[in-house]
Amino acid sequence: MHGTDTPSPWIVRFSHLVPAGGSVLDVACGRGRHMRWFAGRGHPVLGVDRDAEALAGLQGVGETLQADLEGGPWPLAGRRFDAVVVTNYLWRPRLPPILAAVAPGGVLLYETFAQGNETVGKPSRPDFLLAHGELLQACAGLRVVAYEDGFLEEPPRFVQRIAAVREEPGPQPARYFL
């Protein structure tokens, strides 16, 4: 639920894919609903957002970094995380560094608005709406565990969402259950 403290059901559903005690990056974290979710489960968390006021409310939850993700360089160059979480945020030039931030064995949990959303509300600008299959294509180098592209009733919105793992080299155990 965007604008609430309730974590996304998609993130909750696939949070078991994050290795125990693994580090979590929450991109465009806002008030930190997903930071709180993962910190409450024993994960060290880092939230990045440009809103200093929102970040101030996250003292004691985890590490925060104030950064303009769209107006400057990627602030986490070279850093890797066991999970990267992105919800309700799209800035296409940041897709490659976001994907690169997923460590081997780590997971990407991404959910944002898709084309069609302009018919039911905001965002409505094409810059902020994924084209059909765009998120799936962006994650071509990862093992996709789950992907959805469609309409959700409450609140009414069109979304794409993915849970994808960057596999480590070598044989992998079948740990990616739904």
Side-chain angles (χ1 to χ4, degrees), residues 11 18 24-29 34-35 38 83-87 98 102 107-111:
I11 303 304
V18 181
V24 177
L25 169 63
D26 189 351
V27 177
C29 66
H34 297 113
M35 284 181 65
F38 283 104
V84 176
V85 175
V86 186
T87 59
I98 286 170
V102 179
V107 61
L108 173 70
L109 301 175
Y110 203 127
E111 175 180 28

Side-chain angles (χ1 to χ4, degrees), residues 7 11-12 15-16 18-22 33-45:
I11 303 304
V12 170
S15 61
H16 71 277
V18 181
R33 63 189 176 137
H34 297 113
M35 284 181 65
R36 293 177 199 284
W37 170 259
F38 283 104
R41 278 139 192 81
H43 296 279
V45 293

Side-chain angles (χ1 to χ4, degrees), residues 17 43 105 120 131 173 176:
L17 296 174
H43 296 279
V120 295
Y176 310 120

Side-chain angles (χ1 to χ4, degrees), residues 60-147:
V61 174
E63 183 183 354
T64 60
L65 175 63
Q66 183 182 2
D68 181 353
L69 295 172
E70 298 162 20
W74 175 246
L76 300 164
R79 290 190 64 185
R80 303 287 179 267
F81 300 86
D82 296 307
V84 176
V85 175
V86 186
T87 59
N88 300 326
Y89 178 77
L90 175 63
W91 186 250
R92 286 176 178 87
R94 289 295 179 236
L95 285 172
I98 286 170
L99 291 168
V102 179
V107 61
L108 173 70
L109 301 175
Y110 203 127
E111 175 180 28
T112 198
F113 299 98
Q115 288 177 349
N117 203 68
E118 70 280 1
T119 66
V120 295
K122 298 225 181 261
S124 58
R125 287 183 37 204
D127 290 348
F128 303 121
L129 303 175
L130 288 165
H132 176 70
E134 185 176 355
L135 189 55
L136 192 60
Q137 287 178 326
C139 295
L142 304 178
R143 178 178 177 177
V144 175
V145 176
Y147 172 76

Side-chain angles (χ1 to χ4, degrees), residues 8-10 13 110-112 130 135 146-149 152 157 159-163:
S8 158
W10 183 260
R13 179 178 173 192
Y110 203 127
E111 175 180 28
T112 198
L130 288 165
L135 189 55
Y147 172 76
E148 293 182 353
D149 182 354
L152 299 174
R157 66 204 186 280
V159 300
Q160 281 183 52
R161 46 197 190 177
I162 198 163

